[in-house]
């Protein structure tokens, strides 16, 4: 058996849930899933219940995370039509400002272009804004950020036209970065084999052509983000299935499988799942923190034995090569031998958690 040591992974896009949606996931279950997947830092999305769009809600989630988290975490704030001043003030406590420009789970979608323009102008320029921006919204978000002279990070890019636009904007010197999710790289609309409800995700799974274009534009992809978005089996089987896939526990094995198949190198994975994420979101150094992996071990993920409360996974039953053996966080073993060995509360807020 070969053992490789990598830096602790960082995921810029995780729906931790908690508070009003603890039945889907909470900081304990989510950070346990993170560790099992090799992540030592996760950045939490604000489309929660209540949404993280003002200080009182942020404080409530900080309090939950402080006692429950097994790995480090940060909070992205949510933009609304009228909270530009409030989120700019809270920026030092956050890892970014998320703008929802297209419909998805939750009700944070921004309706007016003026809101995008105002947030881009007001949010501190050294903290990224992140956008869920598909199709026309993508062009609009990149242009507005460029005109405001500020960085923008495009979430879960999924289409050919989108990744090509991002690549061209980068060539032209736009301060734009982007992430792509495992489900958009490893599944296509015809081949996913997932039942109705369970295949619902935003952005939707792409065509074969979209998937090919993402792989062809690997150089333009800064991060592999899971967009871990847990919903229960009952919710996914209902008449109104919410969009979202759990992803923290299967992301690294999927990318290691791609390494095994010669589609990626370990350096490609390390850059997109650790180094670039840490740079883009200015994450603090985690001393004496690393993961040990077996890059070759053949296995199949069983969601019933996983840590996420979702209890299902779109990649269940898929033959995988490569897995996490051990995670060390600040010199302390956090995960080993398939078990969480660290304690809730071991995780820290990457921004310190206090004003
Ligand atoms: C996410 C969720 O469930 O919170 N769902 C999804 O399909 N990706 C929301 C989001 O990231 O758009
Ligand atoms: Zn998301």
């Amino acid at each position: 058996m070969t053992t490789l040591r990598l830096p602790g992974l960082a995921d810029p896009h995780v729906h931790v849930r908690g508070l009003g949606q603890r039945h889907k996931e909470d900081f304990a279950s989510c950070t346990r899933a993170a560790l099992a997947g090799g992540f030592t830092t996760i950045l939490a999305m604000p489309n929660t219940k209540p949404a993280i769009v003002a200080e009182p809600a942020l404080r409530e989630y900080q309090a939950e995370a402080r006692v429950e988290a097994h790995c480090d975490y940060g909070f992205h704030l949510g933009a609304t039509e009228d909270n530009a001043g409030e989120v700019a003030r809270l920026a030092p406590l956050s890892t970014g400002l998320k703008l929802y420009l297209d419909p998805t789970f939750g009700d944070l979608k921004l309706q007016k272009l003026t809101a995008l323009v105002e947030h881009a102008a007001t949010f501190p320029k050294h903290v990224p804004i992140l956008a869920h921006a598909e199709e026309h919204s993508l062009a609009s978000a990149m242009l507005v950020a460029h005109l405001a002279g500020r960085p923008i990070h495009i979430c879960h890019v999924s289409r050919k036209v989108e990744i090509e636009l991002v690549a061209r904007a980068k060539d032209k010197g736009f301060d734009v970065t982007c992430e792509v999710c495992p489900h958009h790289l490893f599944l296509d609309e015809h081949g996913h084999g997932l039942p109705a409800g369970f295949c619902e995700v935003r952005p939707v799974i792409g065509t074969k052509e979209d998937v090919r274009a993402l792989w062809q534009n690997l150089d333009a992809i800064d991060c592999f983000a899971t967009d871990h978005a847990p919903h229960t089996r009952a919710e996914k089987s209902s008449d109104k299935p919410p969009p979202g896939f759990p992803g923290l526990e299967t992301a690294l094995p999927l990318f290691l499988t791609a390494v095994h198949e010669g589609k990626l190198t370990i350096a490609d994975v390390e850059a997109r799942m650790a180094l670039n994420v840490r740079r883009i979101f200015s994450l603090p150094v985690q001393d004496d923190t690393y993961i040990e992996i077996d890059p070759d071990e053949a296995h199949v993920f069983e969601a019933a034995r996983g840590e996420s409360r979702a209890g299902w996974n779109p990649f269940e039953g898929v033959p995988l090569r490569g897995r996490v053996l051990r995670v060390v966080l600040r010199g302390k073993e956090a995960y080993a031998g398939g078990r969480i060995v660290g304690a809730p509360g071991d995780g820290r807020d990457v921004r310190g958690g206090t004003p």
Side-chain angles (χ1 to χ4, degrees), residues 13 15 17 47 104-105 132 156 201-202 227 229 231 243-244:
H13 192 146
H15 298 273
R17 317 288 191 205
N47 64 331
T104 186
F105 182 65
H132 173 162
H156 39 50
V201 71
R202 297 294 175 273
D227 190 11
H231 299 285

Side-chain angles (χ1 to χ4, degrees), residues 13-15 17 21 24 45 47-48 98 100 102-106 132 134 155-156 181 183-184 200-204 226-231 236 242-245:
H13 192 146
V14 177
H15 298 273
R17 317 288 191 205
Q21 293 176 328
K24 293 181 194 279
M45 282 293 166
N47 64 331
T48 43
K98 175 77 180 280
Y100 289 89
D102 290 289
T104 186
F105 182 65
H132 173 162
E134 304 180 39
C155 296
H156 39 50
C181 305
H183 45 271
H184 293 125
E200 286 295 335
V201 71
R202 297 294 175 273
V204 298
T226 65
D227 190 11
H228 178 82
H231 299 285
K236 293 299 272 183
F245 292 166

Side-chain angles (χ1 to χ4, degrees), residues 247-281:
L248 283 167
E249 292 167 274
T250 40
L252 182 63
L254 285 163
F255 288 114
L256 291 176
T257 306
V259 171
H260 201 82
E261 292 167 352
K263 292 160 83 177
L264 290 173
T265 64
I266 285 281
D268 287 333
V269 175
E270 190 173 331
R272 290 166 183 76
M273 297 186 81
L275 311 181
N276 295 351
V277 186
R278 307 200 76 84
R279 189 193 70 241
I280 293 165
F281 296 95

Side-chain angles (χ1 to χ4, degrees), residues 4-226:
L4 268 183
R5 189 185 272 209
L6 297 179
L9 307 181
D11 189 344
H13 192 146
V14 177
H15 298 273
V16 176
R17 317 288 191 205
L19 225 59
Q21 293 176 328
R22 294 178 64 90
H23 69 287
K24 293 181 194 279
E25 200 84 290
D26 58 34
F27 278 90
S29 61
C30 195
T31 52
R32 290 170 71 98
L35 287 177
F39 295 92
T40 55
T41 308
I42 58 172
L43 304 186
M45 282 293 166
N47 64 331
T48 43
K49 222 176 171 171
I52 309 179
V53 296
E55 181 162 359
L58 175 63
R59 294 292 177 201
E60 287 191 278
Y61 292 98
Q62 283 176 333
E64 276 197 352
R66 197 173 302 131
V67 294
E68 292 182 10
H70 287 260
C71 73
D72 293 356
Y73 53 89
F75 291 98
H76 295 315
L77 304 164
T80 67
E81 310 284 336
D82 55 15
N83 74 346
E86 172 78 346
V87 289
R89 188 179 67 78
L90 294 173
L93 299 177
S94 81
T95 43
L97 174 67
K98 175 77 180 280
L99 290 88
Y100 289 89
L101 304 180
D102 290 289
T104 186
F105 182 65
D107 48 20
L108 284 181
K109 185 178 174 304
L110 293 175
Q111 303 298 339
K112 298 216 169 74
L113 179 59
T114 46
L116 168 61
V117 173
E118 192 188 358
H119 281 291
T122 315
F123 201 65
K125 291 202 170 47
H126 63 281
V127 190
I129 55 175
L130 303 89
H132 173 162
E134 304 180 39
E135 296 271 352
H136 288 86
S137 313
L138 174 87
S140 158
M142 288 199 302
L143 176 69
V144 169
H146 184 65
L147 294 177
R150 61 154 315 118
I152 185 165
H153 179 79
I154 308 294
C155 296
H156 39 50
V157 175
S158 67
R159 294 180 184 86
K160 179 175 191 284
V161 64
E162 295 167 354
I163 195 65
E164 288 175 356
L165 268 190
V166 169
R168 283 170 67 185
K170 285 181 171 218
D171 284 347
K172 293 279 182 196
F174 280 42
D175 195 355
V176 56
T177 55
C178 78
E179 62 184 39
V180 173
C181 305
H183 45 271
H184 293 125
L185 285 164
F186 296 105
L187 300 177
D188 68 70
E189 62 177 356
H190 295 301
H192 61 65
L194 296 166
F198 288 83
C199 63
E200 286 295 335
V201 71
R202 297 294 175 273
V204 298
I205 297 302
T207 63
K208 278 198 164 56
E209 208 188 350
D210 291 324
V211 176
R212 201 177 311 120
L214 293 176
W215 283 100
Q216 277 169 354
N217 285 279
L218 203 60
D219 286 351
I221 302 174
D222 300 277
C223 312
F224 294 145
T226 65

